[in-house]
Amino acid sequence: MDPVPWREAWHEGLYAVGRGFYVTRGGPAAHFTTAAHGPTGKVLAEAVLALWAVEHGPVRPSVVVDVGAGRGELATHLARVLAATRPSKSPTRGVDGPGSGADPAPRTRVVAVDVVERPETLDERVEWLRSPGGAALPPGLTGLRDALVIAHEWLDVVPCTVAEVDADETARQVLVDPTTGAESLGAPLADDDRRWANTHWPTTTPGDRLEIGLDRDEAWADLVSRVDTGTLLAVDYGHTARTRPSRGTLTAYAGGELTTPVPDGSCDVTAHVAIDSLDADEVCTQREALKALGLTGAVPPHALAGSDPTAYLAALERASAEAHLLDRDGFGAFWWAVKHVRDTT
Ligand SMILES: C[S@@+](CC[C@H](N)C(=O)[O-])C[C@H]1O[C@@H](n2cnc3c(N)ncnc32)[C@H](O)[C@@H]1O
């Protein structure tokens, strides 16, 4: 087949109707594990809600949206945590004034967004919205108020331009044969990609590869534009200006294994996110963010094992999940980009 720019081939490989990897090959959990799955997912859900409380106080979001939700794993954790901790009375909306307790607290909606139909077994408390995929978001996701929006490992699967600096020090698009993954060099970067590279990833070293973040920046900006008021959080593996990888990060996964990136629908294709080019108010590692929210990973006192073995085991499981999320060489190295959208009316 004729080689095409990675960006187009990548989009087809992941999202093409009837043959894209994410449309046809089962949920992400069938192929790899993320922090949204299992015990870490519950702790992550609690942390994300704690992040909301730091900015917005005790009043809960009216809606929590999980973009790139897989099969709703994190959304389900969020719905469970919200249900388990739901205040019986609203702290601010009582008809008799703040804290009167006269008004039942409104339920926080939880909406999961991904590219497939609603999974049959999804928790009934979670609403589902189908999305086109990649940089495109569903038209129905709009006008969100008092919204907490999470995009956990979404931006790394938003296809972007891949480039390589040639022997003449010119950054050129990398083309790929969609059936084999064989690469070749194409035209110099288009103006908007070149401008992005000059600003965020300047290099003229022959052989350097770049993953141009413009498509991720624009996808994120589109998501931000859907929120009238609230807080957005992108969590992803990535890099900043100090740590751009000179050989690129394009990688593929299928069936739990790392594999060669071939954009033919057989594998997930992903590349790290230039996290510091996103429009965000705060950028830090997940470890830093979770420590600021009070997570420690500390094991419970051994004496608890004798006095309350069930509580001890639960505390041990939680400590292990926290440690996993804080791990400098694992999930703790992920990046958090936080954006607040405040009411300006
Ligand atoms: C790497 S997986 C992460 C899944 C889940 N958030 C987790 O962390 O386990 C990326 C997910 O994003 C979804 N996705 C990609 N583009 C999307 C879009 N525009 N809207 C909604 N979901 C999207 C994919 O279908 C896939 O399920």
Side-chain angles (χ1 to χ4, degrees):
M1 261 178 101
D2 285 344
V4 290
W6 253 114
R7 179 174 175 270
E8 279 92 83
W10 186 350
H11 185 87
E12 287 293 298
L14 295 192
Y15 307 113
V17 176
R19 61 195 167 81
F21 175 80
Y22 276 122
V23 184
T24 59
R25 301 267 175 157
H31 300 276
F32 48 86
T33 300
T34 76
H37 305 152
T40 51
K42 176 174 184 272
V43 177
L44 186 63
E46 289 170 357
V48 168
L49 291 166
L51 174 76
W52 171 271
V54 168
E55 174 69 12
H56 302 273
V59 180
R60 291 177 161 210
S62 64
V63 60
V64 177
V65 182
D66 181 11
V67 174
R71 294 300 179 266
E73 292 86 356
L74 183 59
T76 301
H77 284 299
L78 286 158
R80 286 189 187 142
V81 172
L82 284 162
T85 55
R86 187 173 181 228
S88 56
K89 307 290 180 194
S90 165
T92 61
R93 300 189 186 195
V95 288
D96 296 328
S100 69
D103 189 18
R107 182 181 290 282
T108 299
R109 294 169 55 215
V110 178
V111 182
V113 187
D114 211 292
V115 301
V116 292
E117 293 290 352
R118 180 188 176 88
E120 279 178 14
T121 54
L122 183 63
D123 189 308
E124 61 184 18
R125 290 168 295 197
V126 178
E127 299 170 39
W128 188 262
L129 194 54
R130 192 168 179 184
S131 177
L137 293 167
L141 191 69
T142 186
L144 300 168
R145 293 194 66 80
D146 300 325
L148 172 59
V149 180
I150 302 128
H152 189 266
E153 291 204 37
W154 167 49
L155 291 172
D156 66 280
V157 292
V158 169
C160 66
T161 298
V162 179
E164 187 170 318
V165 181
D166 70 9
D168 293 329
E169 303 183 358
T170 300
R172 295 180 171 276
Q173 291 188 45
V174 178
L175 311 180
V176 61
D177 178 330
T179 57
T180 65
E183 293 184 340
S184 51
L185 285 195
L189 285 176
D191 286 349
D192 50 359
D193 278 347
R194 188 169 40 75
R195 271 194 296 273
W196 186 95
N198 288 342
T199 305
H200 298 289
W201 200 327
T203 172
T204 53
T205 307
D208 270 9
R209 274 176 74 114
L210 304 86
E211 288 137 7
I212 306 292
L214 183 61
D215 290 286
R216 279 85 180 271
D217 291 357
E218 290 179 351
W220 173 249
D222 185 18
L223 183 58
V224 171
S225 77
R226 313 296 178 105
V227 177
D228 291 346
T229 59
T231 292
L232 298 96
L233 167 66
V235 182
D236 233 307
Y237 35 89
H239 40 72
T240 63
R242 284 194 306 114
T243 58
R244 302 274 186 247
S246 62
R247 297 303 305 151
T249 62
L250 198 70
T251 309
Y253 293 89
E257 304 282 340
L258 265 178
T259 180
T260 309
V262 181
D264 61 356
S266 65
C267 55
D268 179 30
V269 178
T270 159
H272 292 202
V273 177
I275 204 84
D276 53 344
S277 73
L278 301 175
D279 172 21
D281 296 309
E282 297 145 38
V283 167
C284 65
T285 65
Q286 176 153 286
R287 179 180 168 83
E288 289 164 341
L290 294 181
K291 287 199 134 209
L293 291 169
L295 275 73
T296 62
V299 293
H302 196 255
L304 187 63
S307 60
D308 188 343
T310 307
Y312 180 72
L313 285 179
L316 260 191
E317 185 181 56
R318 187 183 172 91
S320 153
E322 285 191 11
H324 223 108
L325 290 171
L326 291 166
D327 181 3
R328 281 178 219 280
D329 300 317
F331 292 140
F334 276 51
W335 290 93
W336 282 33
V338 179
K339 174 78 181 168
H340 303 295
V341 183
R342 299 189 175 96
D343 205 342
T344 50
T345 54

